[in-house]
Amino acid sequence: MDLGFFVTVFDSSLRLSIPLLAACLAGLWSERSGVVDIGLEGKMLVAAFAAAAAAHAFGSAWIGLIAGIGASVAFALIHGFASISQRGNQIVSGVAINMLAAGLTAIVGNAWYAQGGRTPPLEGAARFGDVFLGHSAPVIFALLAVPVTWFVLGKTRFGLRLRAVGENPAAVDTAGISVTGLRYVAVMICGALCGLGGAYLSVGQSAGFLPNMTAGKGFIALAALIFAKWRAWPALGTCFLFGVLDAAAIRLQGISLPGIGEVPVQAIQALPYLLTVILLAGVIGKAIPPRAAGVPYVKER
């Protein structure tokens, strides 16, 4: 294995980690405001479908990106309405989002294109091309979102208020700041980041939409978020680690290892999910979420 091999693996790992990173940062924004969101998977899936459908219809990857973000934000607002305005169970709402997205994308995709839920292949301007060091624009946007998230949440008044809403919403309300408004802003940012990740899956990384193409990435992003302890820079490192495992799984397929022989493809593909279990088993009880996360806020009268 020469230097070129490691450069290729690094490049592939970065590409594969982008959907995870976008979803992980999305969950960070939402849960820092006190809204638990396990519907990351569903929002990424609906964004991937909307992006591919719009890119195919208009022949533009950028229109596809806007459509993907719009669809994801719409689903995020549904989750926000259920969990913030109606004070519903946030876990149940997230599960409903995932189920709705999985069924809706398959049914609408089959009705529109009659290809088993897939969209037609995307070509030319309907896909994102390389803009910097062989990477497309969504990759740059997702990487830039890390320092932006770190700075806004940690160094600005808005970020302080948002984190305070996730820790002690009653104190924020007493100060005359709208808890509901801040949480809705966080939920919409969460939707935009999920839209970025989903659109990249179908319009950047792939050449169209496939049913359930997120393949559990939203749940892996949640595991990465917990392991990173709801911090932006550790989230980047954790997501990249999952990207390395994905890249290694692709490279190791069909390769015989000394003393083991050829490793089954299924065992290699299970590596990211195995790491998810290991990470969660190692941090449960140690990672402390925002104190108000998952608890609907009821304003005292």
Side-chain angles (χ1 to χ4, degrees):
M1 293 186 292
D2 55 4
L3 179 61
F5 173 81
F6 291 103
V7 171
T8 302
V9 171
F10 177 85
D11 186 72
S12 178
S13 301
L14 183 60
R15 294 174 187 269
L16 293 170
S17 68
I18 293 304
L20 295 176
L21 178 61
C24 188
L25 293 176
L28 191 155
W29 277 94
S30 183
E31 296 197 13
R32 277 294 190 179
S33 72
V35 180
V36 174
D37 193 351
I38 65 170
L40 302 176
E41 177 88 1
K43 288 195 284 289
M44 288 180 66
L45 188 63
V46 75
F49 175 78
H56 176 261
F58 295 97
S60 170
W62 290 102
I63 294 180
L65 176 62
I66 294 171
I69 291 176
S72 181
V73 169
F75 269 61
L77 288 174
I78 294 174
H79 177 60
F81 177 75
S83 58
I84 301 172
S85 298
Q86 300 301 311
R87 305 184 185 92
N89 188 295
Q90 298 173 9
I91 303 298
V92 174
S93 175
V95 172
I97 291 293
N98 290 335
M99 296 176 65
L100 177 62
L104 189 64
T105 53
I107 292 174
V108 174
N110 192 52
W112 285 1
Y113 305 110
Q115 297 184 12
R118 299 188 300 270
T119 60
L122 303 177
E123 299 177 351
R127 292 192 64 199
F128 281 107
D130 298 338
V131 295
F132 182 72
L133 296 179
H135 295 287
S136 60
V139 175
I140 309 303
F141 294 156
L143 292 176
L144 288 176
V146 176
V148 170
T149 297
W150 168 79
F151 179 79
V152 172
L153 287 180
K155 306 294 182 181
T156 66
R157 179 179 298 179
F158 169 73
L160 175 63
R161 290 175 174 177
L162 192 70
R163 288 186 289 117
V165 166
E167 296 290 342
N168 194 340
V172 175
D173 191 30
T174 302
I177 301 170
S178 172
V179 173
T180 299
L182 282 172
R183 285 186 169 178
Y184 264 109
V185 170
V187 164
M188 292 177 67
I189 294 174
C190 170
L193 287 168
C194 282
L196 174 64
Y200 174 71
L201 271 176
S202 61
V203 184
Q205 194 176 92
S206 304
F209 176 81
L210 298 172
N212 294 317
M213 70 182 305
T214 47
K217 287 181 173 59
F219 299 107
I220 294 178
L222 277 175
L225 177 62
I226 295 171
F227 184 73
K229 298 181 179 179
W230 294 268
R231 294 176 296 172
W233 290 110
L236 172 62
T238 306
C239 291
F240 183 75
L241 176 60
F242 280 108
V244 170
L245 283 180
D246 277 334
I250 295 173
R251 292 284 173 178
L252 290 175
Q253 291 183 16
I255 296 179
S256 296
L257 299 178
I260 299 178
E262 185 172 334
V263 181
V265 174
Q266 293 81 0
I268 296 174
Q269 292 175 339
L271 286 177
Y273 306 97
L274 178 62
L275 179 62
T276 301
V277 175
I278 294 173
L279 291 183
L280 287 179
V283 302
I284 286 179
K286 301 177 182 178
I288 302 176
R291 284 183 292 179
V295 181
Y297 175 65
V298 180
K299 185 174 181 178
E300 296 182 0
R301 297 185 182 276

Coordinates of all heavy atoms in Angstrom, one line a residue, residues 18-30 37-51 64-77 79 97-98 138 142 145 186-202 214 217-219 221-222 225:
I18 N -19.9 12.8 4.5 CA -20.7 14.1 4.4 C -22.2 14.0 4.8 O -22.7 14.8 5.6 CB -20.5 14.7 3.0 CG1 -19.1 15.1 2.8 CG2 -21.5 15.9 2.8 CD1 -18.6 16.1 3.8
P19 N -22.9 12.9 4.3 CA -24.3 12.8 4.8 C -24.4 12.6 6.3 O -25.3 13.2 6.9 CB -24.8 11.6 4.0 CG -23.9 11.5 2.8 CD -22.6 11.9 3.3
L20 N -23.5 11.9 6.9 CA -23.5 11.7 8.3 C -23.2 13.0 9.0 O -23.9 13.3 10.0 CB -22.5 10.6 8.7 CG -22.7 9.2 8.2 CD1 -21.5 8.3 8.6 CD2 -23.9 8.6 8.7
L21 N -22.3 13.7 8.5 CA -21.9 15.0 9.2 C -23.1 16.0 9.1 O -23.4 16.6 10.1 CB -20.7 15.6 8.5 CG -20.2 16.9 9.0 CD1 -19.8 16.8 10.5 CD2 -19.0 17.5 8.1
A22 N -23.7 16.1 8.0 CA -24.8 17.0 7.9 C -26.0 16.6 8.8 O -26.5 17.5 9.5 CB -25.4 17.0 6.4
A23 N -26.3 15.3 8.9 CA -27.3 14.9 9.8 C -26.9 15.0 11.3 O -27.8 15.4 12.1 CB -27.7 13.4 9.5
C24 N -25.7 14.8 11.6 CA -25.2 14.9 12.9 C -25.3 16.4 13.4 O -25.7 16.7 14.5 CB -23.7 14.4 13.0 SG -23.1 14.3 14.7
L25 N -24.8 17.3 12.6 CA -25.0 18.7 12.9 C -26.4 19.2 13.0 O -26.8 20.0 13.9 CB -24.2 19.6 11.9 CG -22.7 19.4 11.8 CD1 -22.1 20.3 10.7 CD2 -22.1 19.9 13.1
A26 N -27.3 18.6 12.2 CA -28.7 18.9 12.3 C -29.2 18.5 13.6 O -30.0 19.2 14.3 CB -29.4 18.1 11.1
G27 N -28.9 17.3 14.1 CA -29.3 16.8 15.4 C -28.8 17.6 16.5 O -29.4 17.9 17.5
L28 N -27.5 18.1 16.3 CA -26.9 19.0 17.3 C -27.7 20.3 17.5 O -28.0 20.6 18.7 CB -25.5 19.3 16.9 CG -24.6 19.9 17.9 CD1 -23.1 19.6 17.6 CD2 -24.7 21.5 18.0
W29 N -28.1 20.9 16.4 CA -28.9 22.1 16.5 C -30.2 21.9 17.2 O -30.6 22.6 18.1 CB -29.1 22.7 15.1 CG -28.0 23.5 14.6 CD1 -27.0 23.1 13.8 CD2 -27.8 24.9 14.9 NE1 -26.1 24.2 13.6 CE2 -26.6 25.3 14.2 CE3 -28.4 25.9 15.6 CZ2 -26.1 26.6 14.2 CZ3 -27.9 27.2 15.6 CH2 -26.8 27.5 14.9
S30 N -30.9 20.8 16.8 CA -32.2 20.5 17.4 C -32.1 20.2 18.8 O -32.9 20.7 19.7 CB -32.8 19.4 16.6 OG -34.2 19.1 17.0
D37 N -34.6 14.7 18.1 CA -35.1 14.5 16.8 C -34.5 13.2 16.3 O -33.3 13.1 15.8 CB -34.7 15.6 15.9 CG -35.4 15.6 14.5 OD1 -36.0 14.5 14.2 OD2 -35.3 16.5 13.7
I38 N -35.2 12.1 16.3 CA -34.8 10.8 15.7 C -35.3 10.7 14.3 O -35.2 9.6 13.7 CB -35.2 9.6 16.6 CG1 -36.7 9.5 16.6 CG2 -34.6 9.7 18.0 CD1 -37.1 8.1 17.3
G39 N -35.9 11.8 13.8 CA -36.5 11.8 12.4 C -35.5 12.2 11.4 O -35.8 12.6 10.3
L40 N -34.2 12.3 11.8 CA -33.1 12.7 10.8 C -33.1 11.8 9.6 O -33.0 12.3 8.5 CB -31.8 12.7 11.5 CG -31.6 13.5 12.8 CD1 -30.2 13.2 13.4 CD2 -31.8 15.0 12.5
E41 N -33.3 10.5 9.8 CA -33.4 9.6 8.7 C -34.4 9.9 7.7 O -34.2 10.0 6.5 CB -33.6 8.2 9.3 CG -33.7 7.1 8.2 CD -32.3 6.5 7.8 OE1 -31.3 6.9 8.4 OE2 -32.3 5.6 7.0
G42 N -35.6 10.2 8.2 CA -36.8 10.5 7.3 C -36.6 11.8 6.6 O -36.9 11.8 5.4
K43 N -36.1 12.8 7.2 CA -35.9 14.1 6.6 C -34.8 13.9 5.5 O -34.9 14.6 4.4 CB -35.5 15.1 7.6 CG -36.7 15.5 8.5 CD -36.4 16.8 9.2 CE -35.5 16.6 10.4 NZ -36.2 15.8 11.5
M44 N -33.7 13.2 5.7 CA -32.7 13.0 4.7 C -33.3 12.2 3.5 O -33.0 12.5 2.4 CB -31.5 12.2 5.3 CG -30.7 13.0 6.2 SD -29.3 12.0 6.9 CE -28.4 11.7 5.4
L45 N -34.2 11.3 3.8 CA -34.7 10.4 2.7 C -35.6 11.3 1.8 O -35.6 11.2 0.6 CB -35.5 9.3 3.3 CG -36.0 8.2 2.3 CD1 -34.8 7.5 1.6 CD2 -36.8 7.1 3.1
V46 N -36.5 12.1 2.5 CA -37.4 12.9 1.6 C -36.7 14.0 0.9 O -37.0 14.3 -0.2 CB -38.6 13.5 2.5 CG1 -38.0 14.6 3.4 CG2 -39.7 13.9 1.7
A47 N -35.6 14.5 1.5 CA -34.8 15.4 0.8 C -34.1 14.8 -0.4 O -33.9 15.4 -1.5 CB -33.7 16.0 1.8
A48 N -33.6 13.6 -0.2 CA -32.9 12.9 -1.4 C -33.9 12.7 -2.5 O -33.5 12.9 -3.7 CB -32.4 11.6 -0.9
F49 N -35.1 12.3 -2.2 CA -36.1 12.1 -3.3 C -36.5 13.5 -3.9 O -36.5 13.6 -5.2 CB -37.4 11.5 -2.7 CG -38.5 11.4 -3.7 CD1 -38.4 10.4 -4.7 CD2 -39.5 12.2 -3.8 CE1 -39.4 10.3 -5.7 CE2 -40.5 12.1 -4.7 CZ -40.5 11.1 -5.7
A50 N -36.8 14.5 -3.1 CA -37.2 15.8 -3.7 C -36.0 16.4 -4.5 O -36.3 16.9 -5.6 CB -37.5 16.7 -2.6
A51 N -34.8 16.2 -4.1 CA -33.7 16.8 -4.8 C -33.5 16.1 -6.2 O -33.3 16.7 -7.2 CB -32.4 16.6 -4.0
G64 N -32.3 21.2 -7.5 CA -32.5 20.0 -6.7 C -32.1 20.2 -5.3 O -32.9 19.7 -4.4
L65 N -31.0 20.9 -5.0 CA -30.6 21.1 -3.6 C -31.6 22.0 -2.9 O -32.0 21.7 -1.8 CB -29.3 21.8 -3.7 CG -28.7 22.3 -2.3 CD1 -28.5 21.1 -1.4 CD2 -27.4 23.1 -2.5
I66 N -32.1 23.0 -3.6 CA -33.1 23.9 -3.0 C -34.4 23.1 -2.7 O -35.0 23.2 -1.6 CB -33.5 25.1 -3.9 CG1 -32.2 26.0 -4.0 CG2 -34.7 25.9 -3.4 CD1 -32.4 27.1 -5.1
A67 N -34.8 22.2 -3.6 CA -36.0 21.4 -3.4 C -35.8 20.4 -2.2 O -36.7 20.2 -1.4 CB -36.4 20.7 -4.7
G68 N -34.6 19.9 -2.2 CA -34.4 18.9 -1.1 C -34.4 19.6 0.3 O -35.0 19.1 1.3
I69 N -33.8 20.8 0.4 CA -33.8 21.5 1.6 C -35.2 21.9 2.0 O -35.7 21.8 3.1 CB -32.9 22.7 1.5 CG1 -31.4 22.3 1.5 CG2 -33.1 23.7 2.7 CD1 -30.4 23.4 1.3
G70 N -36.0 22.4 1.0 CA -37.4 22.8 1.2 C -38.2 21.6 1.8 O -39.0 21.8 2.7
A71 N -38.1 20.4 1.1 CA -38.9 19.3 1.6 C -38.5 18.9 3.0 O -39.3 18.6 3.8 CB -38.6 18.1 0.6
S72 N -37.2 18.9 3.3 CA -36.7 18.5 4.6 C -37.2 19.5 5.7 O -37.6 19.1 6.8 CB -35.2 18.4 4.6 OG -34.7 18.1 5.9
V73 N -37.1 20.8 5.4 CA -37.6 21.8 6.3 C -39.1 21.7 6.6 O -39.6 21.8 7.7 CB -37.3 23.3 5.8 CG1 -38.0 24.3 6.6 CG2 -35.8 23.5 5.8
A74 N -39.9 21.3 5.5 CA -41.3 21.1 5.7 C -41.6 20.0 6.7 O -42.4 20.1 7.6 CB -41.9 20.8 4.3
F75 N -40.8 18.9 6.5 CA -41.0 17.8 7.5 C -40.5 18.1 8.9 O -41.0 17.7 9.9 CB -40.2 16.5 7.0 CG -41.0 15.6 6.1 CD1 -41.5 16.1 4.9 CD2 -41.2 14.3 6.5 CE1 -42.3 15.2 4.1 CE2 -42.0 13.5 5.7 CZ -42.5 13.9 4.5
A76 N -39.4 19.0 8.9 CA -39.0 19.4 10.2 C -40.0 20.3 10.9 O -40.2 20.2 12.1 CB -37.7 20.3 10.0
L77 N -40.8 21.1 10.2 CA -41.8 21.9 10.7 C -43.0 21.1 11.2 O -43.6 21.4 12.2 CB -42.3 22.9 9.7 CG -41.3 24.1 9.4 CD1 -41.9 25.0 8.3 CD2 -41.1 24.9 10.7
H79 N -42.6 18.1 12.5 CA -42.1 17.6 13.8 C -42.1 18.7 14.8 O -42.4 18.4 16.0 CB -40.6 17.1 13.6 CG -40.0 16.6 14.9 ND1 -40.5 15.6 15.6 CD2 -38.9 17.1 15.5 CE1 -39.7 15.4 16.7 NE2 -38.7 16.3 16.6
I97 N -42.2 10.6 11.5 CA -41.5 11.2 10.3 C -40.8 10.2 9.5 O -40.8 10.2 8.2 CB -40.6 12.3 10.8 CG1 -41.4 13.5 11.4 CG2 -39.7 12.8 9.7 CD1 -42.2 14.3 10.4
N98 N -40.1 9.3 10.1 CA -39.3 8.3 9.4 C -40.2 7.3 8.6 O -40.0 7.0 7.5 CB -38.5 7.4 10.4 CG -37.4 8.2 11.0 OD1 -36.9 9.2 10.4 ND2 -36.9 7.8 12.2
P138 N -21.8 20.6 -2.2 CA -22.4 20.2 -0.9 C -21.3 19.7 0.1 O -21.5 19.9 1.3 CB -23.3 19.1 -1.3 CG -23.7 19.4 -2.7 CD -22.5 19.9 -3.3
A142 N -21.0 21.4 3.8 CA -21.1 20.6 5.1 C -19.9 20.8 5.9 O -20.0 20.9 7.2 CB -21.3 19.1 4.7
A145 N -20.1 24.1 7.6 CA -21.1 24.1 8.7 C -20.6 23.8 10.0 O -21.1 24.2 11.1 CB -22.3 23.2 8.3
A186 N -34.3 26.5 15.6 CA -33.4 25.3 15.6 C -33.9 24.2 14.8 O -33.1 23.5 14.1 CB -33.2 24.9 17.1
V187 N -35.2 23.9 14.8 CA -35.8 22.8 14.1 C -35.6 23.1 12.6 O -35.4 22.2 11.8 CB -37.2 22.6 14.5 CG1 -38.0 21.8 13.5 CG2 -37.3 21.9 15.9
M188 N -35.8 24.3 12.2 CA -35.7 24.7 10.7 C -34.2 24.5 10.3 O -34.0 24.1 9.2 CB -36.2 26.1 10.5 CG -37.7 26.2 10.7 SD -38.3 27.9 10.5 CE -38.0 28.2 8.7
I189 N -33.3 24.9 11.1 CA -31.9 24.8 10.8 C -31.6 23.3 10.7 O -30.8 22.8 9.8 CB -31.0 25.4 11.8 CG1 -31.1 26.9 11.8 CG2 -29.5 25.1 11.6 CD1 -30.4 27.7 12.9
C190 N -32.1 22.5 11.6 CA -32.0 21.0 11.5 C -32.5 20.5 10.2 O -31.8 19.7 9.5 CB -32.7 20.4 12.7 SG -32.9 18.6 12.6
G191 N -33.7 21.0 9.8 CA -34.2 20.5 8.5 C -33.4 20.9 7.3 O -33.2 20.2 6.4
A192 N -32.8 22.1 7.3 CA -31.9 22.6 6.2 C -30.7 21.7 6.1 O -30.3 21.4 5.0 CB -31.5 24.1 6.4
L193 N -30.1 21.4 7.3 CA -28.9 20.5 7.2 C -29.2 19.1 6.8 O -28.4 18.5 6.0 CB -28.2 20.5 8.6 CG -27.5 21.8 9.0 CD1 -27.1 21.8 10.4 CD2 -26.2 22.0 8.1
C194 N -30.3 18.6 7.2 CA -30.7 17.3 6.7 C -31.0 17.3 5.2 O -30.7 16.4 4.5 CB -32.0 16.8 7.5 SG -31.7 16.2 9.1
G195 N -31.6 18.4 4.8 CA -31.8 18.6 3.3 C -30.5 18.6 2.5 O -30.4 18.0 1.5
L196 N -29.5 19.2 3.1 CA -28.2 19.3 2.5 C -27.6 17.9 2.3 O -27.1 17.4 1.3 CB -27.2 20.2 3.3 CG -25.8 20.2 2.8 CD1 -25.7 20.8 1.4 CD2 -24.9 21.0 3.8
G197 N -27.7 17.1 3.4 CA -27.2 15.7 3.4 C -27.9 14.8 2.5 O -27.3 14.0 1.7
G198 N -29.3 14.9 2.5 CA -30.1 14.1 1.6 C -29.9 14.4 0.2 O -29.8 13.5 -0.7
A199 N -29.8 15.7 -0.2 CA -29.6 16.1 -1.5 C -28.3 15.7 -2.1 O -28.1 15.2 -3.2 CB -29.7 17.7 -1.7
Y200 N -27.2 15.7 -1.2 CA -25.9 15.2 -1.6 C -25.9 13.7 -1.9 O -25.3 13.3 -2.9 CB -24.9 15.5 -0.5 CG -23.5 14.9 -0.8 CD1 -22.7 15.4 -1.8 CD2 -23.1 13.8 -0.1 CE1 -21.5 14.9 -2.1 CE2 -21.8 13.3 -0.3 CZ -21.1 13.8 -1.3 OH -19.8 13.2 -1.6
L201 N -26.7 13.0 -1.2 CA -26.8 11.5 -1.4 C -27.3 11.2 -2.8 O -26.7 10.4 -3.5 CB -27.8 10.9 -0.4 CG -27.2 10.4 1.0 CD1 -28.3 9.9 1.8 CD2 -26.1 9.4 0.7
S202 N -28.3 11.9 -3.3 CA -29.0 11.6 -4.5 C -28.4 12.4 -5.7 O -28.5 11.9 -6.8 CB -30.5 11.7 -4.4 OG -30.8 13.1 -4.2
T214 N -30.9 6.1 2.3 CA -30.2 6.6 3.4 C -29.6 5.4 4.3 O -28.6 5.6 5.0 CB -31.1 7.4 4.3 OG1 -32.4 6.7 4.5 CG2 -31.4 8.8 3.7
K217 N -28.4 5.9 7.9 CA -27.4 7.0 8.1 C -27.9 8.0 9.2 O -27.1 8.6 9.9 CB -27.0 7.7 6.8 CG -26.2 6.9 5.9 CD -25.8 7.7 4.6 CE -24.8 6.9 3.8 NZ -25.3 5.6 3.4
G218 N -29.2 8.2 9.2 CA -29.7 9.2 10.2 C -29.5 8.6 11.6 O -29.2 9.4 12.6
F219 N -29.7 7.3 11.8 CA -29.5 6.7 13.1 C -28.0 6.7 13.5 O -27.6 6.8 14.7 CB -30.1 5.3 13.2 CG -31.6 5.3 12.9 CD1 -32.1 4.9 11.7 CD2 -32.5 5.8 13.9 CE1 -33.5 4.9 11.5 CE2 -33.8 5.9 13.7 CZ -34.4 5.4 12.5
A221 N -25.9 8.8 12.5 CA -25.6 10.2 12.9 C -26.0 10.5 14.3 O -25.3 11.3 15.0 CB -26.3 11.2 11.9
L222 N -27.1 10.0 14.8 CA -27.5 10.2 16.1 C -26.5 9.6 17.1 O -26.1 10.1 18.1 CB -28.9 9.5 16.4 CG -30.1 10.4 16.0 CD1 -31.4 9.6 16.2 CD2 -30.1 11.7 16.8
L225 N -23.5 11.8 17.2 CA -23.8 13.0 18.0 C -23.7 12.7 19.5 O -23.1 13.5 20.3 CB -25.3 13.4 17.7 CG -25.8 14.6 18.5 CD1 -24.9 15.9 18.2 CD2 -27.2 14.9 18.2

